[in-house]
Amino acid sequence: MNQRARRLLLILILLLTGCGQTAQRHVQLPNAGDGKGIIHIYSARHYNADRAIYDAFENKTGIKVVEVKGTAEELVQRMKREAAETEAVADLFVAVDGGVLQHAKEADVLQPIDSEEIVRQVPVRLRDSEGYWVGIASRARVIAYAKDRVKPEQLSTYEALTGERWRGKVLVRSSGSPYNQSLLASFIALNGEQAAENWARGIVKNLAREPSGGDRDQIQAIAKGIGDVALVNTYYLGQMLTSGDPEEAEAIKQVGIYYPNQQTNGTHLNISGIGLAKHSPNKKAAISLIAFIVSKEGQSLLAQKSFEFPVHAEAEIPEFMREWGEFRPQELDFALLSQFHQQATEMMRRAGWK
């Protein structure tokens, strides 16, 4: 090879190397070589959809994601204990309620998430004003109704379910459900204590049966004719529709959903969210995982697996979720759900809501 040919070959190699380095600079996610190769998530969510997202992140980065499951209170206490013993393990905290996320913030187990990329992807109303947590999904608590016995025009508000028309026809899960506790807490914030307690008493008076089971059980009870209306989270309908269980598929055919309070203060909306642990030993990778979860790719995967509403505006959702239609949500600071949580629990106890 002559000198000119060698010079051209060297230039070509340098150009190719430069292109490769430029491409690498555009990759936002770290890899296992960027520090510790494990992220520990303390999670009060128990959905298979989450594992699918973590697996996708692992495949992209080589960073292993380990879930530690428990109730939100157990996990917060564990994070406090580990911090006191200087053996911090948790990198991220995940919960299924805005009030719980606020509680974790107040318990001083979180730190602000410093990432413009994350802020751009999550609407302001779905994240903490000081950056301690961001929403990763939302769910509406709607009225499910029997299509053959109830006309949509007979429905209007949560408050109307306490009327004479619905005597012996209302289905709900127990007062121990955080979904019902947060719903009532939102009523305290929006309507005042007396109105909220009157609502709880009115629901108990109109129950078709003693509260039992989860939201799926309420939907199946409608299909069996036990009651005509129920309070449920939207994503359970998607889970039943795709479960492969013939009984659940048949029940879904008989049930419609209604977004209440569209002419007043909106349908109750709650969130699942994620916060950065105050003493995260792998902070950089943890923030990158949050960024992936709230990205279009992560949110599309979440919506198609859990059937919750995504926080990313461009996320792809299943067609049947589009058929649920759009709605106006409550305009409420999620921090208030924490503030009124205990009060709501006491109200339900006084009302006889088992």
Side-chain angles (χ1 to χ4, degrees), residues 122-268:
V122 182
V124 63
R125 68 175 304 271
L126 298 179
R127 48 186 164 86
D128 178 58
S129 60
E130 297 178 306
Y132 281 82
W133 53 262
V134 296
I136 59 174
S138 65
R139 68 283 298 273
R141 196 139 185 84
V142 300
I143 299 174
Y145 64 91
K147 290 180 179 178
D148 63 341
R149 302 189 298 277
V150 178
K151 297 178 181 179
E153 53 266 30
Q154 294 175 307
L155 300 168
S156 58
T157 64
Y158 296 109
E159 292 83 353
L161 294 181
T162 65
E164 183 68 30
R165 174 192 288 275
W166 306 110
R167 190 64 46 83
K169 298 179 179 179
V170 177
L171 295 156
V172 292
R173 62 199 294 174
S174 76
S175 60
S177 164
Y179 306 137
N180 288 335
Q181 292 166 357
S182 290
L183 177 64
L184 186 55
S186 76
F187 293 165
I188 297 173
L190 293 168
N191 305 325
E193 296 179 25
Q194 191 59 58
E197 183 147 0
N198 289 344
W199 180 82
R201 293 183 182 278
I203 290 295
V204 171
K205 188 176 181 180
N206 282 356
L207 289 178
R209 66 176 183 186
E210 186 173 296
S212 64
D215 284 9
R216 291 189 189 206
D217 297 293
Q218 314 314 316
I219 293 169
Q220 289 184 325
I222 290 177
K224 293 174 181 177
I226 297 173
D228 287 355
V229 292
L231 294 173
V232 301
N233 284 347
T234 43
Y235 64 91
Y236 284 107
L237 285 89
Q239 291 180 2
M240 293 177 72
L241 188 65
T242 60
S243 71
D245 184 324
E247 185 178 353
E248 290 192 342
E250 184 58 33
I252 286 297
K253 292 179 184 177
Q254 301 177 50
V255 173
I257 64 170
Y258 184 87
Y259 295 112
N261 295 69
Q262 291 301 281
Q263 303 305 315
T264 57
N265 47 28
T267 296
H268 177 65

Side-chain angles (χ1 to χ4, degrees), residues 307-349:
F307 314 113
E308 297 167 283
F309 297 118
V311 299
H312 194 291
E314 298 178 4
E316 299 172 3
I317 64 175
E319 183 58 35
F320 65 78
M321 287 181 63
R322 298 187 187 281
E323 294 173 358
W324 293 346
E326 297 182 355
F327 64 96
R328 184 170 69 85
Q330 288 175 341
E331 295 182 6
L332 184 69
D333 184 347
F334 291 108
L336 293 176
L337 300 182
S338 174
Q339 179 179 334
F340 295 117
H341 180 272
Q342 185 59 40
Q343 196 171 352
T345 302
E346 292 171 358
M347 276 186 184
M348 296 170 97
R349 178 185 56 78

Side-chain angles (χ1 to χ4, degrees), residues 275-293:
L276 179 63
K278 183 174 183 179
H279 302 287
S280 167
N282 203 3
K283 180 177 176 180
K284 179 180 177 181
I287 291 176
S288 293
L289 176 54
I290 299 175
F292 177 71
I293 292 172

